[in-house]
Amino acid sequence: MKRIAILISNVGKGSNLQAIVDAVNSKKINAKIVAVISDTNDAIGLKHAINNKIPIKICANKKDLPQVLKRLKPDYIALAGWKQIILDEVIEFYPNQILNLHPGLIPNSVKSKVLAPDGTNTLWNKGLLAEKAVQNFLDKKSTYAGSSIHLLTKEFDFGPVLERAFEKIKKNDTVKTLYARLKNKEHEIYIKALQKLTNAISQDAAVLIIDGGGRAHALVNKYLQSKHVKRVIAIPGNDLMTLSKNVKTYPQIKTTDIKQIVNICKKENVDLVDVAQDDAIAAGLVDTLVKSGLKVFGPTKAAGRVEWDKAWARNFMKKFKIPHPAFKICKSQKEGVEFINSQREGTWYIKAAGLAAGKGALLASSNSEAQDAIKQMKKFGNAGRIFLIEKCINGEEFSSFAIVNGKKFAIIGHAQDHKTVFDGNVGPNTGGMGCSSPPMVITAKIGEQIKSIFQKTVGGLVKVGRPYLGMLYLGGIIDKSGKVFVIEFNARWGDPEAQVILPSVKNDLFELVTQTILGKIPKITKDNSYRVVVTAASRGYPINHSKVIGKEIIGLSSLLGHPERSEGSLKIFGAGVKVKNGKYLAAGGRLFYVLGEGKNVELARRVAYNTLSQVSIDGDNLHFRKDIGLQDLQRLLSPK
Ligand code: GLY
């Protein structure tokens, strides 16, 4: 159980102290108050300490505080009306452990601003205390007042913000009326912040996931397994996830509809938003949500540029010596064609620089095919206006994922995606036809190279002023000599990689993510199973699957079982499936994913393919690859 020391003085009435004591007594906060420390004997708050039999320490001189604290060994120090300066040595000794309440809206970075729920700028009130700060909201004619709970740093009235409260200012408000209402909210956010830090987020957190397909479903399942999470909301989500208890979706809302999403966060009282979808990141959803005071897991638009601008990303890799294929950035068809004409015959990738739903990279096995591919870039519209010509590296592809807190990271897993629609890696690229994990090709030596790439990338992003918070996806290739090159970075989980990696993670995902947001990187623990996930698609995908839309998927309902079945055992992830009058209908290209788990690839494949053999659509209209995990199966059966 965490230990909290509360610091008070004769300023104020001790109402924050009382709120914390009440929350500990009612077990809302899972912690022990080891002492109330006051700098005088006449602090009103001391009576709350006496009434609740909490030890009292009087520390008249701020220089004595370090010694007093050392004996108490607190995990967190809550400032609740303490009027003296906290010495730097205390801040250094308790990094990210001292909580302060500031009557203003502290931004996340010195240059940014916090937006009020109505979109107006709010006031930081740096250097203003209590009534003076509240007066400032009135003087400046703000529409909202507000307060922040932040962790103390050496920078005055600044530091990581744990919680913010907003209070709408009424027409006839005085300092007294406004402050009375704001104080109630301050108590609430103080408790909320301590709950989060002491891991007693009770059992009722609401998580919003911004995404819709199988990846979103894997995230929904994982969050629902958390002891802290009561409800999960997904935008847009999909029908199959709503078969689980406590899941709500907003199918009509786009992941880029920032205004609506902010409204839903407020309406649903969301505790955490996990932005898992590329368009949303590129649109700057994370930036706005953070400014609105929400707790968000996902990179800002600036950091997400590693994905949404592949030309920028290649220059970034070059700058930080991150191994990558030779590339040429082209701004026109003419430039591309001239470049190819100047090159020896070769195999190339022609890639749209912008986001193209995972389909923007075209393989060209000769210079003349490259010229055709260059001409196709215009079909990607704005995303293909700038494109790259890259030398194709022969080798084995993989995807690796790291959870990143801005400065540090932990690798959470590796997988192998199968991008093309047909067996043997032929046919057009898709969003992903299946994954296997953990890939046997990732040896310790390869793992070291991957780690070094993440190190250079996370460090490089800090150096270019774009610190990255969220899941970072490294799409890599291992050439014949065993060297790893970056094919691309993505600013999110992979789909369907999330479906094979998330179930292998033993950590509580809500804890993992909230700790990461707070600047920590918890140790990741994994199970030992091998997993294969196979994508079930409509025949014709990704070119034209329209004839399958609306047809019933036979066998799916009995596989899914009763809607009340526990989230933990659900092994099917939905995407383009509509549930109508109890029937499961094809509603997209990628329909659903079947996960097989086992102690090795052979067993995992057997489970996945046995399951799939029980499903069909009108004859032969269900398509899936039969070779997911086959490479590892061959390695298993005939090791070198
Ligand atoms: N698995 C490919 C992607 O998520 O982009």
Side-chain angles (χ1 to χ4, degrees), residues 546-560:
S546 52
K547 69 173 195 305
V548 189
I549 298 294
K551 288 193 190 287
E552 188 177 355
I553 307 165
I554 310 290
L556 189 56
S557 75
S558 56
L559 280 179
L560 288 165

Side-chain angles (χ1 to χ4, degrees), residues 390-616:
E390 297 188 354
K391 223 162 178 112
C392 176
I393 293 174
N394 285 322
E396 194 164 339
E397 290 188 24
F398 66 91
S399 320
S400 295
F401 296 84
I403 187 162
V404 188
N405 74 4
K407 288 187 187 146
K408 292 193 187 137
F409 67 92
I411 293 174
I412 197 160
H414 314 276
Q416 274 184 306
D417 192 7
H418 296 63
K419 289 288 287 178
T420 65
V421 71
F422 299 123
D423 286 13
N425 299 331
V426 295
N429 266 354
T430 67
M433 291 303 291
C435 261
S436 52
S437 178
M440 291 161 80
V441 72
I442 311 282
T443 57
K445 239 172 151 177
I446 299 292
E448 280 309 309
Q449 293 184 60
I450 293 171
K451 198 168 155 200
S452 150
I453 290 173
F454 275 121
Q455 251 152 7
K456 288 182 188 172
T457 309
V458 172
L461 286 167
V462 171
K463 284 194 187 125
V464 297
R466 297 167 187 263
Y468 191 102
L469 170 76
M471 191 56 61
L472 182 59
Y473 168 153
L474 152 60
I477 188 158
I478 307 163
D479 78 359
K480 295 219 162 52
S481 73
K483 182 165 169 157
V484 175
F485 294 84
V486 177
I487 300 175
E488 64 177 356
F489 285 116
N490 292 317
R492 53 178 171 83
W493 273 109
D495 188 347
E497 287 93 333
Q499 290 90 306
V500 272
I501 297 177
L502 276 167
S504 73
V505 176
K506 287 191 178 169
N507 302 63
D508 179 310
L509 185 63
F510 187 81
E511 282 177 12
L512 187 60
V513 163
T514 42
Q515 297 284 313
T516 303
I517 294 170
L518 287 173
K520 295 179 190 158
I521 290 279
K523 187 173 159 19
I524 290 168
T525 47
K526 304 277 301 279
D527 70 12
N528 292 323
S529 294
Y530 196 101
R531 287 180 173 79
V532 168
V533 75
V534 184
T535 310
S538 298
R539 174 130 348 254
Y541 171 76
I543 309 287
N544 181 3
H545 56 268
S546 52
K547 69 173 195 305
V548 189
I549 298 294
K551 288 193 190 287
E552 188 177 355
I553 307 165
I554 310 290
L556 189 56
S557 75
S558 56
L559 280 179
L560 288 165
H562 195 270
E564 293 295 301
R565 73 187 276 170
S566 92
E567 290 80 20
S569 64
L570 190 64
K571 299 294 189 296
I572 291 181
F573 305 101
V577 176
K578 277 264 158 286
V579 184
K580 208 169 167 188
N581 304 328
K583 289 194 168 156
Y584 295 81
L585 309 178
R590 290 194 290 177
L591 299 169
F592 60 94
Y593 304 81
V594 175
L595 178 69
E597 299 173 337
K599 69 174 193 284
N600 61 36
V601 56
E602 187 175 17
L603 294 170
R605 274 172 52 87
R606 196 178 297 163
V607 175
Y609 284 113
N610 272 347
T611 310
L612 270 166
S613 68
Q614 299 168 52
V615 197
S616 64

Side-chain angles (χ1 to χ4, degrees), residues 259-416:
K259 208 165 154 207
Q260 284 267 45
I261 292 172
V262 172
N263 285 339
I264 289 168
C265 288
K266 304 237 150 107
K267 185 174 119 195
E268 298 279 2
N269 207 3
V270 162
D271 294 275
L272 170 72
V273 190
D274 189 328
V275 182
Q277 200 265 346
D278 46 4
D279 291 330
I281 289 158
L285 175 63
V286 170
D287 308 53
T288 306
L289 291 176
V290 170
K291 275 188 202 147
S292 309
L294 289 147
K295 195 133 285 144
V296 189
F297 185 66
T300 57
K301 179 172 181 175
R305 195 166 185 182
V306 283
E307 171 165 15
W308 59 259
D309 184 350
K310 301 202 184 309
W312 182 89
R314 280 291 185 233
N315 283 328
F316 168 81
M317 290 177 221
K318 195 168 161 188
K319 179 170 171 152
F320 290 98
K321 300 192 172 34
I322 295 164
H324 58 271
F327 68 94
K328 161 89 181 151
I329 297 170
C330 300
K331 296 205 170 80
S332 68
Q333 198 170 303
K334 182 167 169 278
E335 193 181 356
V337 170
E338 277 173 12
F339 174 77
I340 282 294
N341 284 341
S342 71
Q343 299 294 304
R344 291 229 299 266
E345 194 58 33
T347 307
W348 309 92
Y349 267 105
I350 315 298
K351 283 185 183 173
L355 296 178
K359 294 164 197 143
L362 306 180
L363 177 64
S365 27
S366 66
N367 286 18
S368 88
E369 276 186 33
Q371 295 194 352
D372 284 346
I374 290 167
K375 286 173 197 145
Q376 288 186 54
M377 284 295 114
K378 61 176 181 290
K379 80 177 176 206
F380 300 116
N382 208 24
R385 206 174 40 78
I386 296 176
F387 58 92
L388 294 100
I389 302 177
E390 297 188 354
K391 223 162 178 112
C392 176
I393 293 174
N394 285 322
E396 194 164 339
E397 290 188 24
F398 66 91
S399 320
S400 295
F401 296 84
I403 187 162
V404 188
N405 74 4
K407 288 187 187 146
K408 292 193 187 137
F409 67 92
I411 293 174
I412 197 160
H414 314 276
Q416 274 184 306

Side-chain angles (χ1 to χ4, degrees), residues 81-152:
W82 178 257
K83 66 177 182 298
Q84 301 197 35
I85 298 285
I86 299 281
L87 296 176
D88 280 358
E89 67 176 287
V90 179
I91 297 175
E92 271 164 25
F93 201 80
Y94 298 98
N96 286 338
Q97 287 168 280
I98 308 175
L99 287 84
N100 187 40
L101 174 67
H102 174 72
L105 289 146
I106 301 180
N108 292 338
S109 69
V110 179
K111 286 194 187 134
S112 64
K113 278 236 184 289
V114 178
L115 294 184
D118 62 358
T120 56
N121 280 336
T122 59
L123 296 171
W124 181 342
N125 287 341
K126 196 169 166 54
L128 294 181
L129 292 176
E131 277 79 7
K132 287 211 175 108
V134 178
Q135 182 69 54
N136 196 38
F137 285 120
L138 296 175
D139 291 348
K140 299 272 163 58
K141 308 218 175 321
S142 294
T143 52
Y144 275 82
S147 295
S148 317
I149 298 285
H150 69 108
L151 294 168
L152 210 65

Side-chain angles (χ1 to χ4, degrees), residues 59-252:
C59 179
N61 191 331
K62 61 177 177 287
K63 291 210 179 80
D64 298 331
L65 187 60
Q67 271 316 316
V68 174
L69 286 172
K70 249 178 210 160
R71 280 194 290 274
L72 293 168
K73 296 194 182 56
D75 296 294
Y76 294 103
I77 298 163
L79 306 184
W82 178 257
K83 66 177 182 298
Q84 301 197 35
I85 298 285
I86 299 281
L87 296 176
D88 280 358
E89 67 176 287
V90 179
I91 297 175
E92 271 164 25
F93 201 80
Y94 298 98
N96 286 338
Q97 287 168 280
I98 308 175
L99 287 84
N100 187 40
L101 174 67
H102 174 72
L105 289 146
I106 301 180
N108 292 338
S109 69
V110 179
K111 286 194 187 134
S112 64
K113 278 236 184 289
V114 178
L115 294 184
D118 62 358
T120 56
N121 280 336
T122 59
L123 296 171
W124 181 342
N125 287 341
K126 196 169 166 54
L128 294 181
L129 292 176
E131 277 79 7
K132 287 211 175 108
V134 178
Q135 182 69 54
N136 196 38
F137 285 120
L138 296 175
D139 291 348
K140 299 272 163 58
K141 308 218 175 321
S142 294
T143 52
Y144 275 82
S147 295
S148 317
I149 298 285
H150 69 108
L151 294 168
L152 210 65
T153 57
K154 287 195 223 162
E155 192 162 342
F156 185 62
D157 274 349
F158 191 60
V161 176
L162 301 174
E163 291 293 333
R164 294 185 182 95
F166 299 92
E167 180 56 43
K168 196 162 171 44
I169 299 178
K170 295 183 184 164
K171 212 164 139 215
N172 297 322
D173 257 334
T174 60
V175 169
K176 198 164 164 211
T177 57
L178 177 57
Y179 205 8
R181 294 200 310 280
L182 189 58
K183 270 207 173 119
N184 287 334
K185 292 215 166 149
E186 288 180 343
H187 299 159
E188 280 170 23
I189 57 172
Y190 220 139
I191 304 311
K192 232 176 164 183
L194 280 166
Q195 280 180 327
K196 289 193 175 167
L197 292 173
T198 55
N199 262 352
I201 315 142
S202 43
Q203 309 299 319
D204 59 359
V207 177
L208 169 63
I209 294 163
I210 305 294
D211 196 18
R215 170 178 56 200
H217 200 163
L219 282 164
V220 164
N221 288 353
K222 198 72 193 165
Y223 277 116
L224 282 177
Q225 287 165 12
S226 163
K227 63 176 185 281
H228 306 294
V229 176
K230 185 168 176 197
R231 295 181 298 131
V232 177
I233 303 138
I235 295 177
N238 65 60
D239 277 14
L240 289 195
M241 62 176 67
T242 60
L243 301 178
S244 292
K245 282 181 293 179
N246 303 323
V247 178
K248 179 172 177 185
T249 60
Y250 283 87
Q252 310 306 337

